[in-house]
Amino acid sequence: MEQLRLANNEKIVKNYDYSTVTKGIFKKEVTQNSLTVTNRRVVLQSVSNHVAARKEIPVSSAEYVDATFAKNGRSLLKTILCGLLTVAFLVVFFILNSKLNQASDTVNSYGADTDFSGIALIMLIPAAIALVATVINVLIYIFSLGGAVLITIGGRRNEVELLTLGASNMVDSKGSDSIKIKVDRNVSETMVNELGAVIMNINDGSYETETAKEDAEA
């Protein structure tokens, strides 16, 4: 879709691509959610290949920002335990195999040395299961990284809520496999931490002053 058009003398101060929403199983459509702050307005937009939805307010109307960001706190305990079990089963396998081979060499008059004992090989089965479980838990941890972000921009004069954005992938939705929400943790956290300061700098003229200095130095 067509990108956001800027007015005369309008400049983008900050842009936050904070989340994506993927719909469909075979024919996927990805929607990018973003918040753009210019020196004149704040624009919330959701853009895909087929749809563009935008809501905007004058930056001068933004008098307060309520922002919340929470990280997804999935534990690595299961991954660590499965990894330790894998190592333990492998250690038992090598020790048992070594002992059984020594006993076999003593009994065998020909001195034939077998590389792996059949009894010891049984220990590789739980080792393989534990290894697979470790890999699965690592993948689950990586793909579950995300969080939730909620930002409300309003005006204090009438306590009017002007603009609200939100996205979350912290709750696993059942029965909705065709919809996937991905929250960018770094972008969302940065947006929550600095958005208020960015809007304040624009409204009190600090941004225009800094821009004028940069243009003069250039």
Side-chain angles (χ1 to χ4, degrees), residues 55-68:
K55 182 177 181 180
E56 60 184 73
I57 60 171
V59 70
S60 58
S61 298
E63 296 179 305
Y64 74 89
V65 176
D66 287 338
T68 303

Side-chain angles (χ1 to χ4, degrees), residues 74-76 79 136-145 185:
R74 187 178 291 274
S75 175
L76 278 172
T79 304
I136 291 175
N137 278 289
V138 169
L139 292 176
I140 291 175
Y141 177 81
I142 293 174
F143 287 108
S144 68
L145 291 178
R185 293 177 60 169

Side-chain angles (χ1 to χ4, degrees), residues 21 41-42 55 66 69 76 82 87 92-93 115-117 157 168 172 175 182 186 190 193 207-208 210 215 217:
V21 178
R41 53 185 168 157
V42 181
K55 182 177 181 180
D66 287 338
F69 175 72
L76 278 172
C82 290
V87 174
V92 171
F93 162 74
D115 292 333
F116 297 105
S117 168
R157 293 166 191 160
S168 173
D172 297 330
K182 181 178 181 182
N186 295 328
T190 300
N193 289 334
Y207 171 75
E208 297 295 341
E210 293 176 0
D215 292 341
E217 292 175 355

